[in-house]
Amino acid sequence: MPENETLTIKAAIDKLIAKSKSVALPPELTSRLDELFSQLEINSHSEETFWTFYQSTAKYIDWVVSLPWNTQSDDILDTRHTQEKLDENHYGLQDVKQRIIEYVSVLSLQKTRHPDIPFRAPIFLFVGLVGTGKTTMARSIADCLNRQLIRIPFGGLGDPLYLRGQSRLHSEAEPGALIRGLATCGTRNPVILLDEIDRVADDALNTIMGVLVELLDPEQNARFTDHYLDFPFDLSQAFFVATCNNTSRIAAAVLDRLEIIQMPSYTDEEKLNIGKSYLLPRAITEAGLNQGELTITESVWPNIIRPLGFDAGVRTLKRNIEGLCRKTAALILSGQKQIIIDESNVKKYLPQW
């Protein structure tokens, strides 16, 4: 092998070694990486095999050093702050809010009085119909605690390797959704949202429920092992939140690890307050409108809330309000100064089914 090729290969190996030492890794993992580097040294005698093995090793090192092995965000454990954030994002739902405030209170006392004892967060399962605020409540929990959010959608999920990753023996292997999410958020104590766990594909239901049993067990998730990473990662400081429309398709072993919180349907009165106080101001801002350019009279709110009859959530209401604001923006750009929506013209602004 020519001398310049030998130097190039040596420089490539040294680059990987330097990258692996740029972050503090668990000692056992460092030992494993040393073994990988030794294998690279052995393969360096054959250029054909070396660069193939080098590429897969470099990809692995990139994932390893990108993970937050020792990094976590500082929690905000102020119940007044928590109450303000929850009220800012959600109308009503007092029982749900109270449960979250209780958790923050316990965590605050634990960290103050027993800082050396690890605290196991409860695992919430928000159960409710479409549009009742399950996913947004998980986002609010992350906001309240000053934590990052990882959302993993389970709707139609048919392959457990999506969660657990694929062995590095496969050329196109990569980590599962959990490890990818941790690398992206950069902290080891995020809020992990397992969204719509009841909508897993039928043929993968049992295997995915098996993964959830391990993931949601406090005794096991401290050493969660992704097939690609092939090394335990501590998920015990993460706050898991799951959502579903109903619990009939969720395995009993999984339910046993969850604290079920019912998300009630909204009444028309609650939707009226949500529409006026939360959705409309937000939609006006997102549409680029100024205050006063759009006025909705009281008499047409029932049409906006119930265009087709009862709806448990607020998604239809949100879409209707956003549609009103978009149409208003178009009219403002065409030269009109103010739009007033009343009984005489409301049908022009609402979707026609």
Side-chain angles (χ1 to χ4, degrees):
M1 183 181 293
E3 184 178 354
N4 62 337
E5 278 189 11
T6 305
L7 291 174
T8 301
I9 288 175
K10 183 178 184 304
I13 296 174
D14 290 343
K15 180 180 178 181
L16 289 187
I17 293 174
K19 181 177 285 189
S20 71
K21 292 182 177 179
S22 64
V23 297
L25 300 174
E28 299 89 343
L29 182 55
T30 300
S31 298
R32 288 198 185 184
L33 295 184
D34 288 341
E35 293 177 7
L36 276 179
F37 298 140
S38 296
Q39 292 177 31
L40 276 176
E41 292 280 0
I42 294 171
N43 285 328
S44 66
H45 299 295
S46 170
E47 186 179 5
E48 292 182 5
T49 59
F50 172 79
W51 290 112
T52 300
F53 187 57
Y54 175 84
Q55 292 297 330
S56 64
T57 303
K59 179 181 176 182
Y60 179 68
I61 298 296
D62 285 342
W63 279 110
V64 166
V65 300
S66 69
L67 290 174
W69 298 98
N70 305 294
T71 305
Q72 64 181 49
S73 56
D74 294 325
D75 289 333
I76 297 177
L77 302 176
D78 183 342
T79 54
R80 185 176 300 175
H81 167 81
T82 301
Q83 184 74 63
E84 289 174 355
K85 285 292 183 183
L86 292 174
D87 289 341
E88 179 183 316
N89 296 325
H90 302 273
Y91 176 81
L93 302 174
Q94 295 306 320
D95 291 343
V96 180
K97 293 176 181 177
Q98 182 59 34
R99 182 64 191 89
I100 296 169
I101 290 171
E102 290 169 1
Y103 161 73
V104 172
S105 302
V106 171
L107 182 57
S108 178
L109 287 177
Q110 284 276 9
K111 288 201 170 185
T112 302
R113 298 177 179 179
H114 309 289
D116 298 329
I117 301 176
F119 177 70
R120 303 285 189 185
I123 303 169
F124 293 157
L125 172 62
F126 292 130
V127 182
L129 298 175
V130 173
T132 52
K134 303 183 294 297
T135 301
T136 53
M137 185 60 74
R139 292 195 177 100
S140 293
I141 291 173
D143 197 17
C144 291
L145 292 174
N146 187 41
R147 294 193 182 193
Q148 296 294 318
L149 177 72
I150 299 173
R151 176 181 174 267
I152 301 178
F154 278 67
L157 182 59
D159 186 357
L161 295 181
Y162 175 79
L163 301 173
R164 298 294 300 259
Q166 194 171 30
S167 168
R168 298 199 309 277
L169 294 175
H170 300 272
S171 60
E172 301 300 320
E174 65 175 9
L178 283 158
I179 294 299
R180 295 199 306 270
L182 289 165
T184 300
C185 78
T187 63
R188 68 187 187 99
N189 65 334
V191 174
I192 299 179
L193 170 59
L194 311 175
D195 211 6
E196 299 182 319
I197 62 172
D198 58 328
R199 296 186 61 191
V200 174
D202 291 337
D203 57 351
L205 184 61
N206 291 335
T207 53
I208 289 176
M209 288 297 152
V211 176
L212 285 177
V213 167
E214 176 186 350
L215 188 61
L216 301 177
D217 188 336
E219 302 302 322
Q220 297 186 65
N221 64 20
R223 295 183 61 82
F224 176 78
T225 302
D226 180 274
H227 292 324
Y228 178 85
L229 195 63
D230 194 27
F231 189 85
F233 192 95
D234 184 2
L235 293 175
S236 62
Q237 298 307 303
F239 189 129
F240 286 95
V241 178
T243 72
C244 70
N245 292 334
N246 65 74
T247 60
S248 61
R249 299 184 74 242
I250 302 175
V254 174
L255 286 176
D256 188 52
R257 290 160 170 77
L258 303 171
E259 181 173 334
I260 298 175
I261 298 178
Q262 294 288 339
M263 300 291 287
S265 302
Y266 292 107
T267 65
D268 285 358
E269 182 180 352
E270 288 173 328
K271 288 182 183 180
L272 181 61
N273 279 291
I274 292 169
K276 287 182 175 180
S277 303
Y278 294 82
L279 301 180
L280 181 59
R282 193 174 301 163
I284 285 174
T285 300
E286 291 176 353
L289 299 174
N290 294 324
Q291 293 295 329
E293 290 181 325
L294 171 62
T295 300
I296 301 174
T297 62
E298 283 292 326
S299 60
V300 304
W301 274 103
N303 301 86
I304 299 172
I305 292 171
R306 278 201 186 206
L308 293 175
F310 178 72
D311 176 15
V314 294
R315 288 185 184 173
T316 300
L317 174 61
K318 181 174 182 288
R319 283 193 294 266
N320 287 343
I321 290 174
E322 289 173 347
L324 295 175
C325 291
R326 286 195 300 270
K327 287 181 170 61
T328 299
L331 292 170
I332 293 294
L333 278 180
S334 68
Q336 296 192 39
K337 301 297 183 183
Q338 184 185 33
I339 305 299
I340 298 175
I341 299 176
D342 55 27
E343 291 180 339
S344 67
N345 63 3
V346 65
K347 289 185 178 181
K348 294 193 301 183
Y349 291 89
L350 290 176
Q352 300 300 308
W353 288 278

